[in-house]
Amino acid sequence: MADRPEKIRCDACPVLCFIAEGRTGACDRYANHGGDLVRLDPLTVIENGGPAVPFMGADWDGDIVQGHRPFVTAIGAGTTYPDYKPAPFIVSAETRGVDMVTVVTEGIFSYCGVKVKIDTDRHIGEERAIVRANGEAIGHVMTSEYGSKMLSLGGVDHLTGGSKKEGRVTCDALLSLCNCEPVELTIDDGAVVIVQAGKAPVIDGARENLMRVGCGSAAIGMFAAQWKGHADEVIVVDDHITGVLSEHQAGVLLDIPPSGIRVVGRRSTPGRYFQVAEPGTGWGGTDIEDPLKVIKSINPKVAWPGLRLFMVSTTGEQWAYFELDTDLVPQVAEPSAELRASAERVAENCEPSVCSVVFMGGAGGSLRAGVTENPVKLTRSVRETLTQVTIGGADAYLWPGGGITVMADVTQMPSNAFGYVPTPALVAPIEFTMRREDYAALGGFIDEIRDVDDILNGQERRVGAKAAE
């Protein structure tokens, strides 16, 4: 009877799986192939044409490799865990006569999450409302930005500070979002939203089309001159600021006379009203479907029969035209071609609605030890802009303050850039690029540097414009 092959122990993360021959670990990233621990995903290389940023003042032609050299990302590189050993790949490449070193590793991030921007006027939930995936709390609604709703998902409190199920579900959701896959999110007392990076959100089953052109006041300012002569009053319905043309400074300067129409809500400044309705999925992100509900009164001493009233939402998707009858009651009427065109112009100036997912993580921990024997020097080098940080080859925004806390757009990375470990934590690629002399100065592993041509053996995955040729 032949002896059964022994399992091998994977030391790529704290889980320390025992992996039988031909099987994979709990993360599905490492396998036992003939007794060897193998990283299953190929090392990913970005050819010229990948997402890129200028670096260290060099002229930039849109090529992250600063020429025609391939850029070795950390995707598929493996980890440094338990972090006393050098990074899996420390690669040297000459760029414009400068010997550059890129240190790549797949970092295990417990302190990480995503910020989600959803371009929509529609109300999806109150600020601070809990966001859930598969029934588990994974984040919350943040303060809205201009024309967009914002979510903060993940973070260490959800990954490791709650129940085991909460951590697993949070990690699953983050992994899918970072790999640009759709995730259904339910907001307490709010909407059900399907979020996918780079795609339009689906809110309560309806796909969003447009990001608003601006608030109601801004819309008045932008299009006031185009409405003059075609309507006596224009009301732009908006959950944020509802604009009233004849009162607004733009209308005053265009000599548009008062209409006597007042709207509900709290008047901020002339022609600008807050809180005309509750937030919702109706006109301009309010809960109203009948725009006339925003009219508080019509002054008979000012208004007149036949007054032309045009009402439009901040995306131009909803609009209505009325004329006052002899009793000064608005009656639906046929708008002019110019008014129809103005609604189309509002819509034309709206950008397509998309979901943006930005990965955010702190690299100030132990993974720095895979770069240098004195980790704090890496932090200082990054702070002094001697070292550039990229995430899967994508430019990363570095937060001020201590540590190396970065954000990066997941759509700018190659596919399947992220993985996970069951601790649970997210595995994200991270690269540090600097001059060779700067790498030596911070105590780097000089003896581990390999030339880029020695790294590439034809087994790597190549992405970018050149690879597509």
Side-chain angles (χ1 to χ4, degrees), residues 45-51 414 462-469:
V45 174
I46 296 177
E47 297 283 5
N48 61 319
R462 291 174 179 256
V463 298
K466 185 176 181 180
E469 291 175 353

Side-chain angles (χ1 to χ4, degrees), residues 285-307:
T286 70
D287 64 345
I288 64 172
E289 298 297 337
D290 177 6
L292 294 178
K293 287 187 176 179
V294 304
I295 294 179
K296 180 180 182 180
S297 63
I298 299 177
N299 187 345
K301 297 180 179 178
V302 181
W304 61 94
L307 184 151

Side-chain angles (χ1 to χ4, degrees), residues 130-138 165-166 169 184 186 188:
I130 297 297
V131 179
R132 299 179 187 275
N134 294 321
E136 294 293 325
I138 69 166
K165 182 181 179 183
E166 179 181 338
V169 171
E184 181 176 290
T186 300
D188 285 1

